[in-house]
Amino acid sequence: MGKRLLCGCEDVSVEEVRRAWAAGHRDLESVKRFTGFGTGPCQGKSCLALVTRELLRLGATPGELAPFTARPPREPVALGALAGLDPGTLPVGHEGIPPDAPPRRPGPDGLRPLPSRADVVVVGGGVLGLSLAYELARRGTTDVLVLEQAYLNAGASGRNGGGVRAQWSTPTMIRLARRSLELCRRFAVDMGINVWFRPGGYLFLAPTAEQVARLEQNARLHAEHGLRTRVLDRAQALEIVPHLDPSRFLAASHNPDDGVVFPWPFLWGYAGKAEALGVQVRTFTRVTGFRRAGAALTHVETDRGAVACGAVVNAAGAWSKGVAALAGVATPNRPTRHEILVTEPLEPWLDPLVSLLGSGLYFSQSQRGELVGGMGDPAEPEGVSQGSSLRFLARFAGAITRLAPRTAGVKVLRQWAGCYDVTPDNNPILGPAGFGNFFQLHGLVGHGFMMAPALAELYADLLTGRGRDELFDRFPLSRFERGGAAREDFIIG
Ligand SMILES: Cc1cc2nc3c(=O)[nH]c(=O)nc-3n(C[C@H](O)[C@H](O)[C@H](O)COP(=O)(O)OP(=O)(O)OC[C@H]3O[C@@H](n4cnc5c(N)ncnc54)[C@H](O)[C@@H]3O)c2cc1C
């Protein structure tokens, strides 16, 4: 029998929706991510009702099938048309932006019970929390509970560009990123899930003499660490990406071993393997407070009851400041929205992820042919917001069509946003704070995805007494009492 299609744009069949259900995905946001339904040009207009009907048939309750957040633009629109808008006339910040619909929690049938106690409770089921849970379990600490307030991939880990690069400007970042790249290359085999790792390299474009000098300095450091980074003149850069306007930059740097992954299966891979080793992951469970006795946290309170704990890890990303505050611990994190978009698929034309230094612009081409790109906005105010703006579309479209005029005819399919978890020195906050058993794992700004695999190994070593990397002495919360660490400033976006 032929396959019965529910989503024509993305070729999603009834069987795939059933597989998603069998894998534990009940809410529409999760089923959308697992199958890809509703992410094509029609944005769910033709398939949402069909998938909803199938999930109801399988046993979902009407309450948990609230439609997923509709993503702008309402219909595909060319970058060239958007580039004609003047960003200066469009509202800055979160003004007038409808927030994402709050995720609907499955009914009691869809929720697994909470254990009464766990040796380690991890707050936050993003890439940092899940990778740590997996690495702890691999080291024999399996009584680990991960609590996630929404579905997996609801936070920045499900909303990012998937870029993984070793082209950094400090030995520490190079060391972590190289290890992460190594783990990314093996991820599909080790974790049994395809993360579409594409080692197309990163191409940094330097539009000023000062930035050229910076790339040259970085390249010398990279050579010392065995990276294959080369500084290129304009003609050499055009050999790698022929459609760039060479008047927009002076020189470039390229490391062919950097790459891009598809974030969603990365999280499912970590969660699935961690659970197979004994970790418990509970979605739709929000941490609401802590109980303490003397210098220790004794219980984690949630909207589904309390859990006694040996240790607690705060891996709540942009929400980590709020989670720390629940324990009375103040952190200097500044969550800041960062927007991103995807276009219609094109024939293959772009190998590396391209980043234009100084502008915040970056873009890559996915294995399915879409351009995926984002751009930071210096005017963005602090705050957790995952809504999308027209100002971003105008700014991004202007920047990319100036740099690669060929993109003017390419249509934007979908935009979305997540938050960078920014600290004053752009470095993470690691180790215990406030209580001897309250561990911090946040403040990864715009590079937490690529650092997570390597950082999780080191963190698990620390928590299981296997070793203490120098990172934990350099990046405790207490460093801010002394003015912070040396600022990390080779950040994209
Ligand atoms: C648009 C964009 C592009 C990016 N591009 C890249 C890139 O190319 N490469 C890269 O390396 N990084 C990139 N980043 C950064 C990267 O996504 C983050 O650094 C990383 O995902 C952080 O992971 P996390 O686990 O700390 O946070 P999250 O993924 O946000 O996870 C935290 C989780 O905690 C949950 N939570 C919060 N409060 C509670 C509570 N009270 N109880 C229970 N759960 C709670 C949240 O729901 C969330 O799922 C990008 C980020 C954005 C927004």
Side-chain angles (χ1 to χ4, degrees):
M1 200 169 76
K3 71 179 183 183
R4 287 171 294 162
L5 275 188
L6 296 183
C7 172
C9 303
E10 292 300 314
D11 200 28
V12 177
S13 66
V14 172
E15 288 69 30
E16 279 161 285
V17 171
R18 289 181 187 164
R19 262 203 300 281
W21 177 266
H25 302 284
R26 298 173 59 104
D27 63 291
L28 279 169
E29 291 279 7
S30 298
V31 175
K32 172 182 166 184
R33 282 162 179 76
F34 194 79
T35 63
F37 99 85
T39 61
C42 93
Q43 292 285 303
K45 288 190 196 82
S46 25
C47 51
L48 181 58
L50 295 173
V51 174
T52 301
R53 200 164 62 199
E54 180 59 21
L55 290 174
L56 284 170
R57 236 183 43 73
L58 290 168
T61 54
E64 68 194 86
L65 291 178
F68 50 67
T69 307
R71 300 283 172 215
R74 275 167 66 117
E75 53 192 52
V77 50
L79 284 164
L82 292 165
L85 299 171
D86 175 3
T89 63
L90 299 168
V92 175
H94 313 154
E95 196 186 313
I97 293 175
D100 269 17
R104 284 292 186 100
R105 181 159 147 169
D109 294 356
L111 290 172
R112 287 177 290 168
L114 287 182
S116 57
R117 186 189 180 283
D119 283 348
V120 182
V121 177
V122 178
V123 186
V127 70
L128 284 163
L130 291 169
S131 57
L132 175 62
Y134 167 70
E135 293 296 347
L136 283 171
R138 265 180 15 108
R139 286 160 179 72
T141 299
T142 55
D143 187 13
V144 178
L145 172 67
V146 180
L147 298 174
E148 167 53 51
Q149 66 182 355
Y151 49 91
L152 297 187
N153 282 309
S157 302
R159 295 163 179 270
N160 65 76
V164 190
R165 59 165 160 127
Q167 286 190 75
W168 280 93
S169 61
T170 59
T172 302
M173 298 299 263
I174 294 171
R175 169 169 67 99
L176 287 176
R178 279 189 69 175
R179 176 64 183 154
S180 281
L181 274 163
E182 204 176 308
L183 294 169
C184 284
R185 271 185 224 110
R186 294 183 356 211
F187 199 90
V189 173
D190 290 352
M191 311 299 269
I193 191 162
N194 188 356
V195 291
W196 306 98
F197 176 61
R198 198 168 71 83
Y202 258 57
L203 185 72
F204 282 105
L205 304 175
T208 66
E210 197 184 315
Q211 278 149 347
V212 174
R214 184 77 197 277
L215 290 185
E216 285 168 345
Q217 183 189 331
N218 284 356
R220 284 191 290 275
L221 182 66
H222 296 174
E224 284 167 26
H225 288 80
L227 301 189
R228 296 199 290 156
T229 305
R230 282 192 312 145
V231 175
L232 309 175
D233 62 24
R234 288 193 276 217
Q236 290 169 316
L238 292 185
E239 280 171 26
I240 295 174
V241 184
H243 304 287
L244 299 175
D245 174 350
S247 72
R248 299 279 164 190
F249 62 97
L250 299 174
S253 82
H254 180 245
N255 173 18
D257 300 317
D258 293 338
V260 175
V261 297
F262 185 33
W264 298 343
F266 221 88
L267 267 70
W268 298 323
Y270 272 132
K273 277 285 179 197
E275 285 188 299
L277 293 170
V279 169
Q280 304 191 63
V281 179
R282 294 291 181 270
T283 50
F284 297 99
T285 307
R286 191 157 63 86
V287 171
T288 54
F290 299 101
R291 288 183 211 155
R292 58 193 86 175
L297 298 178
T298 60
H299 291 77
V300 178
E301 290 172 345
T302 81
D303 55 359
R304 299 175 58 210
V307 180
C309 57
V312 179
V313 179
N314 176 5
W319 297 264
S320 55
K321 185 189 182 93
V323 168
L326 293 174
V329 174
T331 67
N333 309 47
R334 287 178 292 108
T336 310
R337 181 179 60 154
H338 189 89
E339 299 190 66
I340 186 165
L341 59 73
V342 64
T343 71
E344 62 186 334
L346 311 173
E347 80 277 13
W349 72 280
L350 184 62
D351 276 336
L353 184 149
V354 176
S355 166
L356 180 62
L357 292 175
S359 72
L361 173 74
Y362 64 92
F363 54 96
S364 66
Q365 186 169 26
S366 75
Q367 292 212 1
R368 298 180 351 155
E370 307 132 329
L371 296 184
V372 177
M375 188 169 173
D377 186 343
E380 186 68 27
E382 178 182 336
V384 175
S385 162
Q386 301 192 128
S388 299
S389 74
L390 184 56
R391 177 180 156 90
F392 161 67
L393 287 185
R395 292 183 75 248
F396 179 88
I400 193 171
T401 55
R402 282 192 294 275
L403 179 62
R406 179 182 191 236
T407 57
V410 178
K411 291 197 174 98
V412 176
L413 278 193
R414 208 167 61 249
Q415 67 177 129
W416 67 95
C419 284
Y420 278 18
D421 178 22
V422 183
T423 60
D425 57 17
N426 281 336
N427 286 301
I429 298 179
L430 306 174
F435 299 85
N437 65 343
F438 187 35
F439 292 89
Q440 311 303 311
L441 175 52
H442 48 83
L444 270 295
V445 194
H447 46 277
F449 204 88
M450 69 179 88
M451 296 301 169
L455 190 51
E457 289 185 327
L458 300 175
Y459 219 120
D461 282 347
L462 178 82
L463 293 181
T464 57
R466 280 174 168 71
R468 181 184 176 87
D469 191 89
E470 54 92 22
L471 281 179
F472 297 96
D473 298 320
R474 213 132 46 87
F475 300 136
L477 175 61
S478 58
R479 73 181 184 269
F480 296 109
E481 292 160 17
R482 305 181 295 274
R487 190 174 160 77
E488 177 57 63
D489 63 355
F490 204 63
I491 307 272
I492 298 183

